[in-house]
């Protein structure tokens, strides 16, 4: 499994920026109030970041100590980390799109809306960084046997396992 690419995160953030800007534009054209995220959303994103790090930490500890860990636990940790990094990029971009629209208006934006969007962007960036760190925690060290060709003499083939026809 390859690590999450920074390029993918940037593309998602750019697409989400456009979506956030477009959402506020459509709401304004329809005569409705622009979208302002709740101040609880940044707290939720920070809790997800803490959860991703706390789930990945035992995997890191077992990799460093050489202890065996349940592969499903490690898979869950890396999956949570990858999903969290994608969510962080999307939410940061979405918040940036909302903020750009708000600041591009001829009237001064309300301070509460600006603070909410800045908090959303900041916590989403923290989430993305924490998730990338958590994903790094789940990286296995390079296996020295991978560089040498394997001796296939002792390995049972498909026919020996009963799989040959």
């Amino acid at each position: 499994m390859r690590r999450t690419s920074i390029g993918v995160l940037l593309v998602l953030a750019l697409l989400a920026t456009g979506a956030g800007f477009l959402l506020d534009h459509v709401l304004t054209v329809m005569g409705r109030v622009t979208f302002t995220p709740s101040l609880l959303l940044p707290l939720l994103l920070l809790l997800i970041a803490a959860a991703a790090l706390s789930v990945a930490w035992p995997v890191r500890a077992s990799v460093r100590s050489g202890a065996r860990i349940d592969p499903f636990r490690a898979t869950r940790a890396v999956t949570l980390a990858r999903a969290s990094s994608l969510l962080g990029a999307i939410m940061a971009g979405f918040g940036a799109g909302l903020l750009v629209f708000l600041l591009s208006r001829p009237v001064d934006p309300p301070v509460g809306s600006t603070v909410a969007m800045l908090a959303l962007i900041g916590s989403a960036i923290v989430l993305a960084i924490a998730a990338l760190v958590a994903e790094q925690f789940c990286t296995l060290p390079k296996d020295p046997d991978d560089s040498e060709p394997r001796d296939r003499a002792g390995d049972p083939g498909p026919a020996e396992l009963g799989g040959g026809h």
Side-chain angles (χ1 to χ4, degrees):
M1 179 185 250
R2 293 188 301 166
R3 290 189 193 150
T4 304
S5 167
I6 301 296
V8 169
L9 296 179
L10 290 175
V11 167
L12 282 174
L14 285 173
L15 290 173
T17 300
F21 187 89
L22 185 63
L23 173 70
D24 262 358
H25 179 71
V26 168
L27 288 173
T28 302
V29 167
M30 293 173 56
R32 297 194 178 169
V33 179
T34 59
F35 180 76
T36 302
S38 168
L39 284 176
L40 293 178
L41 183 58
L43 294 175
L44 178 64
L45 294 179
L46 293 176
L47 285 174
I48 294 171
L53 287 172
S54 66
V55 168
W57 186 260
V59 176
R60 178 183 186 265
S62 69
V63 166
R64 287 197 165 197
S65 69
R68 178 146 165 67
I69 191 166
D70 180 23
F72 292 113
R73 183 177 184 178
T75 302
R76 281 186 218 112
V78 76
T79 303
L80 175 63
R82 178 166 287 194
S84 297
S85 66
L86 297 175
L87 175 67
I90 291 169
M91 292 307 293
F94 187 74
L98 295 174
L99 185 64
V100 166
F101 181 82
L102 193 65
L103 296 177
S104 68
R105 305 300 298 163
V107 293
D108 290 334
V111 175
S113 296
T114 306
V115 168
M117 289 176 206
L118 288 173
L120 173 63
I121 294 167
S123 63
I125 290 171
V126 168
L127 173 61
I129 292 171
L132 290 173
V133 169
E135 191 174 344
Q136 176 68 29
F137 284 173
C138 297
T139 302
L140 295 175
K142 194 77 168 158
D143 192 11
D145 294 336
D146 287 344
S147 61
E148 301 172 11
R150 294 180 180 218
D151 181 22
R152 304 262 320 153
D155 291 343
E160 296 171 8
L161 293 175
H165 294 284

